[in-house]
Amino acid sequence: MGSVFLIGIVCQTLCSSAVSGADEKCSSESDSCGCSSAINRERKTEDDREDVNEARQFKVNTDEASATNRMILIEGDVYTMGTDMPIFVADGEAPARRVQISSFYMDVHEVSNEDFKKFVKDTEHKTEAETFGDSFVMDNYLSEETKSAITQAVKDAPWWLPVKGAYWAKPEGPDSDVEVDGRMDHPAVHVSWNDAVAYCKWAGKRLPTEAEWEFACRAGKEDRLYPWGNKWMPKEEAWANIWTGKFPEDNDAQDGYAATNPIDKFPESAFGLKNMIGNVWEWTSDWWTIRHNPLVVHQNPKGPESGTDKVKKGGSYMCHKDYCYRYRCAARSQNTPDSSASNLGFRCAADKDKLPPNVRHEEL
C-alpha cells in the first residue's frame, strides 16, 4: 500500500509549530480567505448567549412531501485519505493513510434554503446566527447602507465583516431576502455546526464523518485533486463554483456565479453527487486534529473524542487557487461549532441500515 502522490503540487505553506506538534490550532490564514479562525465566535464565557433550542424537543420529520433532498448509497471500500504532497501542511492534509469505509447514504445536494425553511417551520429552530445577533459576510456582497453601520472587521481578513441581522434567510443582512431574491434553491448558509446537527436529527440523518465526506468527494478516484480528476476545467468548462478573478477585489464569475449557485448546478460526480467542492464549505461530524497515523488501516474513523473546532470540507465560492486552494478533496479547514458565515453550509449522511423511510434514495 504505497503512498499517494499528487503530481505537480508544490507545498506552499509551512508551519513550524504544527510540524513539531506544538500547536494543533496553527493555520495558514496568511494564504487564506480567512474563513477558518478569522470567523470563529469569540465568547468570553459559555453564557454569552442563551441557547433557545436547548430545551426544545421535536420529532423526526416523517413527511414525505418535505423530503426534497435525495440520497445516494455510497458503497463502502478502502481508499487513500489525505495526501503526502500537501498544499497546506498546517491543515493536517498529510500524511496519506488507508481508510476502510462502510457503505452509507449521502445527500445528493447541499441542504437548500427551501429545505432549511421547512425545518425551521416544523421545529421553530432558531439558528446561532440569530441568537448571537450577527454573522460574518464578505464586504463585496453588502449594500453600502449595511457596510456604513459596521465599525469592526477581522484584522487579518478585513473583507470579513460581522453583519447584524445576517442569518440563513437574510444572508447579507436585513436588506436581503432569499425568497425575494430567488435563492430558495441555493444552499442554506450562516448555519453553525450545532444548527446542522439539529437539522440532520430532524431529518432522521446525521452529518458525514470527515472520512466519509472525503471518500464521497473522491468518487472512486485515487490520487486525484477533484471529484472528476486533476484538470480543473475539463473540456474548458467550469465544473464547480470558486472565486475567479483577483481575490479579494474582484470575482469575475467565469464559472457563472459570483456567490452561491443553486444546489443542482454543475455536473454530478461518478457517485452522483453535486457540488462536493466549491459553492459552500460543508460541516463534518469530526473534531479537528492534524495528527494522523499512516501505519494502520483505519476502520470508519470518526476523529478525536473531543476538541475545540469541527472539520469542514470542500471549499467555497470564496476560494481562489492563489489565496485559499482548499477546494480539493484532501483539503480541510476548521471552525468552532457555533461559528457561522455566508459561505458555510452542509449536507447530511445516513447509515445504510438507518435510512429514514420518507427519504427518496437510489443506488449507483
Side-chain angles (χ1 to χ4, degrees), residues 9 35 49 53 213 304 336:
I9 300 301
C35 54
R49 69 95 175 88
N53 303 301
W213 193 99
T336 55

Side-chain angles (χ1 to χ4, degrees), residues 6 14 76 87 102 121 136 231-232 250 264 278 311 318 352:
L6 300 180
L14 294 175
I87 302 298
S102 297
K121 182 178 180 180
F136 283 97
K231 185 176 181 180
W232 174 243
D250 175 54
D264 62 349
V311 178
M318 285 180 59
K352 183 179 180 181

Side-chain angles (χ1 to χ4, degrees), residues 271-287:
F271 281 0
L273 305 174
K274 294 256 191 175
N275 294 288
M276 287 297 291
I277 61 172
N279 208 19
V280 294
W281 283 100
E282 298 182 15
W283 289 112
T284 73
S285 62
D286 292 33
W287 289 108

Side-chain angles (χ1 to χ4, degrees), residues 1 4 11 14 20 71 87 93 127 146 148 165 172 176-177 187 201 258 314 330:
M1 297 181 183
V4 173
C11 178
L14 294 175
S20 66
M71 302 194 87
I87 302 298
E93 296 178 3
T127 62
T146 297
S148 67
E172 292 81 48
S176 62
D177 189 303
K201 179 180 178 182

Side-chain angles (χ1 to χ4, degrees), residues 61-165:
N61 173 46
T62 57
D63 181 5
E64 186 172 355
S66 69
T68 60
N69 206 339
R70 293 183 297 117
M71 302 194 87
I72 281 184
L73 179 65
I74 309 296
E75 294 286 356
D77 203 348
V78 178
Y79 82 108
T80 302
M81 183 178 180
T83 175
D84 283 328
M85 295 291 287
I87 302 298
F88 297 108
V89 174
D91 286 355
E93 296 178 3
R97 59 266 185 204
R98 298 294 282 174
V99 172
Q100 171 74 58
I101 292 292
S102 297
S103 299
F104 67 100
Y105 282 95
M106 189 80 150
D107 280 352
V108 171
H109 307 111
E110 293 150 335
V111 173
S112 70
N113 287 314
E114 186 68 47
D115 296 325
F116 205 78
K117 178 184 176 182
K118 290 173 181 176
F119 160 64
V120 170
K121 182 178 180 180
D122 195 29
T123 65
E124 299 182 352
H125 180 88
K126 196 171 185 179
T127 62
E128 294 198 281
E130 294 170 87
T131 58
F132 279 111
D134 61 21
S135 190
F136 283 97
V137 184
M138 189 179 187
D139 57 1
N140 298 41
Y141 301 100
L142 299 175
S143 67
E144 292 302 318
E145 181 179 358
T146 297
K147 284 192 287 188
S148 67
I150 299 172
T151 58
Q152 296 176 293
V154 176
K155 180 181 178 181
D156 296 326
W159 47 87
W160 277 119
L161 300 179
V163 178
K164 298 291 184 184

